[in-house]
Amino acid sequence: MHRIHFTADDLARVRVAPTLGPMAETLFSLYALRGRAEETMFGAWRRRVRGGIDSRFAVLAAITPARPPSFDMALLAGRGRDLAENAETFLASPRKAVRAELDFYAGHHGRVPAALAGIVDTLTARREVLSTVEAYHRGAVGPHWRGIRAHLDAERAQRGTVLLDRGVDGLLSSLHPSIRWSPPILHVDSSQFDADFPLNGRGLLLVSSFFLRFPAVMYEPGNPADCILIYPAALGVDHAASIWTGGPTTRALANLLGRTRASVLTAIADGVNTTGALARRLDVSSAAISQHTAVLREAGLITTRRHHSSVLHHSTHAGRALLDRHDTPRPAA
């Protein structure tokens, strides 16, 4: 069990991010690739990716062994907008930080794998590890990254709605069945080891993950107060299928509604439900979003309601049917 200890200052400094970036999700995907759980959502992806992996990718097994903890390359790579930014951060990681991660790894597994042994002192060794991860990303995650990122953006928007409706207590109480909020302590089920994380006023960053299907606490060894909680994003079979296939009706919808308006309707169905969030996701102005939502609302494809100072959009049954979505919209709480 991991226990994250909050003070009043920490509660005021809870933040939510959609993702740590493509490198973190690529590394997290190795857990989903190895496992057999949630086969209906990941089975086809697993079979395709496993078929393209050969002995050159043995380093991936060293980074994420069958028994945790892993070598926390995601933490060393930091948050990034794209893989290149993550890669640059990893290559520039201080020797002390890399050594601390390897010592932590060896403390739980008994040794440092040969594939990782040289990365503390040798930039060439880091580049070799990075090259393998990048090659794996291109085959396993890169082709789906746009859809994955959109899903994680929608997850963050959903958590924002929970925060508006139910406050920090509601947010921390609804992250995942394996996470239990018993103020002032957040309990996180873990098979790794028993640990306490006093935040000491620094607050907590909550980050969703598409591939990691169990919660995890990330932190620098020796600095447990500066930790990050990774929690699994809500994911249904239809959501996963649309990401692997790219959505069967995307082109038809664009022809029918126009590309931007089809994207607005899809984003709303995914849970991105404020005008500002839609504008950021689609990189258009809020005024343009308002025009598109007005048309969609008049056509009966979305509904709009005001919640305090925010305007929230939700897809209707007709809108979801047009998207070939047979699920109901995810509840806000």
Side-chain angles (χ1 to χ4, degrees), residues 272-280 284-287 289-290 293 311-313:
V272 183
N273 53 13
T274 68
T275 299
L278 288 164
R280 288 190 296 274
V284 298
S285 69
S286 295
I289 292 295
S290 296
T293 53
V311 175
L312 304 180
H313 308 288

Side-chain angles (χ1 to χ4, degrees), residues 26 29-30 33 45 49 57 60 132-140:
T26 297
S29 77
L30 294 169
L33 182 65
W45 171 81
V49 174
F57 291 84
L60 300 176
T132 300
V133 172
E134 289 175 332
Y136 169 75
H137 168 85
R138 288 192 294 270

Side-chain angles (χ1 to χ4, degrees), residues 201-251:
R202 300 191 191 189
L204 181 66
L205 178 64
L206 307 173
V207 182
S208 61
S209 173
F210 181 86
F211 284 107
L212 200 64
R213 306 315 298 164
F214 54 86
V217 178
M218 294 176 60
Y219 66 100
E220 295 179 16
N223 188 16
D226 193 15
C227 64
I228 300 171
L229 177 60
I230 312 295
Y231 70 93
L235 181 63
V237 175
D238 287 346
H239 290 114
S242 67
I243 287 171
W244 306 142
T245 63
T249 59
T250 302
R251 182 175 299 177

Side-chain angles (χ1 to χ4, degrees), residues 119-138:
I119 65 172
V120 174
D121 301 307
T122 308
L123 186 59
T124 300
R126 289 195 198 185
R127 291 190 184 279
E128 289 177 356
V129 170
L130 181 61
S131 176
T132 300
V133 172
E134 289 175 332
Y136 169 75
H137 168 85
R138 288 192 294 270

